[in-house]
Amino acid sequence: MTGDDANDGAGDAGRPRGRRSTALRAAGLTLTGALVLGIAAAGWAYWHLNSNIKSVDINSALGADRPPRAVTAPPGATASPLPTGSLNILVLGSDSRSGKENQALGGGNSEGARSDTAMVVHLDAGRTKATVVSIPRDTLVTRPSCPLPSGGSTAVAYNAMFNSAYSVGGPACAVKTVESLTDVRMDHYIEIDFSGFTKLVNALGGVTVTTDEDIADDDSHLTLKAGTHHLDGKQALALARTRHGIGDGSDLGRIGLQQKLVKSLLEQIAATDLLTDPTELYQVADSVTASLTTDTGLDSLTELISLGQSLKGLSAGQVRTVTMPVVPAPSDPNRVVAEQPEASDLWKSLR
């Protein structure tokens, strides 16, 4: 073998090593780039979802003149990274958002804000059982003096419609009126608008609801025969708003439909394995966060995820739906007032 032959052999041996080294470097750069892009995308998604959420500082607005906070841990509870104590959350469905989508769905603007739906969600200690109490919007209440976002406060109003609290003073007044009515501390506040509710139902693939009677409501534009129906978001919203097409046309009939819808939505969420489909999970999260106004204790994705994870042991079958006991108001047969002592007994059980 000559010197030239030896050099040629060394060159041949060196070239494959160079190609492999170049290929490995390229693969490493590609993997690093993908990882950086993935982290950036995840960071952007988190920032986007976080920035979707609007919040109101209820605690600062209402101060210390409120029912005591009752956070009770379940018997034998051990230290847990997730909250396990009992919790009361005021959930409002409103048409308070201005915008083309909400207006197309029948929502009002920010000056004509109304709370169409009001539910107190009580989570038992341990978070494996829940009670959802609906408050009829036609209930006559004593509306307390409420702080206004612009400063000052509203006057006390007697025999006021319950849903006027939101119209007059926004979320803080809605919370204060509920606490005055129930003597139960609202630990959190969640509000969802028409457009967001519609998008949420659509993101979940619709919701299946069984109605006991035919529905024909010109106001909500919903026509359904009695039976089981799979509804899209717009139809589900119409069902939640239906009032005049069922029963005696009172708010109590609408509440019955809303409670069926809540149960059906919980079952649909439980049946949808969002964790196996990141795209679907993001779509649902985007729909939910874009539609939410919360108190400052729930105004981040981290806090909402923590609340959601704490409810992993809660099934739809363990959620009880009831309506605050009411009777016709003596002053107006088209309005109702809390029935006593039944209403007080109900609220006492949630403290």
Side-chain angles (χ1 to χ4, degrees):
M1 179 180 293
T2 64
D4 289 341
D5 289 338
N7 289 335
D8 288 343
D12 290 340
R15 280 194 293 271
R17 285 197 297 271
R19 285 196 295 269
R20 284 197 298 273
S21 178
T22 301
L24 287 173
R25 283 198 300 271
L29 289 172
T30 301
L31 182 60
T32 301
L35 184 60
V36 169
L37 288 175
I39 292 172
W44 178 88
Y46 183 91
W47 173 86
H48 173 70
L49 295 175
N50 221 39
S51 63
N52 273 345
I53 306 167
K54 306 170 187 68
S55 65
V56 178
D57 193 347
I58 301 290
N59 289 334
S60 292
L62 299 186
D65 185 20
R66 303 176 65 186
R69 190 185 301 275
V71 180
T72 306
T78 57
S80 169
L82 296 175
T84 58
S86 61
L87 208 63
N88 291 301
I89 305 172
L90 175 61
V91 178
L92 292 187
S94 78
D95 66 350
S96 64
R97 305 293 190 278
S98 59
K100 293 181 180 179
E101 289 184 344
N102 279 302
Q103 289 171 1
L105 292 167
N109 56 35
S110 57
E111 295 178 352
R114 299 164 295 179
S115 54
D116 271 9
T117 304
M119 297 179 176
V120 174
V121 178
H122 172 78
L123 302 173
D124 287 5
R127 311 281 174 94
T128 58
K129 292 183 180 179
T131 301
V132 179
V133 184
S134 297
I135 302 176
R137 57 175 287 179
D138 293 341
T139 304
L140 296 182
V141 300
T142 297
R143 192 181 68 225
S145 174
C146 297
L148 293 173
S150 57
S153 59
T154 65
V156 176
Y158 300 96
N159 289 320
M161 285 270 287
F162 168 75
N163 71 333
S164 69
Y166 185 95
S167 302
V168 168
C173 195
V175 170
K176 188 165 186 178
T177 300
V178 169
E179 292 184 344
S180 175
L181 174 67
T182 66
D183 197 27
V184 175
R185 173 74 169 245
M186 295 297 109
D187 300 295
H188 291 298
Y189 170 85
I190 296 176
E191 176 189 328
I192 187 167
D193 66 20
F194 285 177
S195 175
F197 177 81
T198 301
K199 289 178 180 178
L200 170 61
V201 174
N202 285 336
L204 290 170
V207 61
T208 301
V209 178
T210 299
T211 58
D212 299 325
E213 58 182 296
D214 295 346
I215 296 174
D217 190 342
D218 293 335
D219 290 340
S220 67
H221 308 292
L222 182 66
T223 301
L224 287 178
K225 290 290 185 182
T228 301
H229 305 273
H230 191 73
L231 309 179
D232 62 19
K234 188 174 182 180
Q235 291 171 316
L237 176 64
L239 183 69
R241 302 188 69 202
T242 290
R243 172 175 182 166
H244 300 295
I246 56 168
D248 60 1
S250 73
D251 195 40
L252 299 180
R254 171 164 55 184
I255 284 174
L257 291 177
Q258 291 173 349
Q259 290 175 344
K260 285 189 176 202
L261 191 56
V262 167
K263 281 290 193 78
S264 298
L265 276 172
L266 289 173
E267 290 168 357
Q268 180 67 23
I269 291 171
T272 305
D273 192 358
L274 299 176
L275 295 180
T276 62
D277 190 338
T279 300
E280 187 174 6
L281 175 60
Y282 177 80
Q283 290 173 345
V284 172
D286 194 29
S287 298
V288 172
T289 55
S291 69
L292 287 184
T293 298
T294 72
D295 66 285
T296 49
L298 285 179
D299 63 352
S300 76
L301 199 58
T302 299
E303 289 159 338
L304 287 173
I305 289 173
S306 177
L307 175 62
Q309 289 176 332
S310 77
L311 303 179
K312 62 183 179 181
L314 179 65
S315 66
Q318 294 300 314
V319 177
R320 180 173 66 113
T321 55
V322 298
T323 302
M324 182 183 75
V326 293
V327 293
S331 61
D332 187 344
N334 294 317
R335 301 289 181 257
V336 296
V337 293
E339 182 179 14
Q340 298 299 353
E342 290 81 358
S344 292
D345 290 342
L346 171 63
W347 296 124
K348 190 180 298 183
S349 72
L350 306 186
R351 290 178 196 143

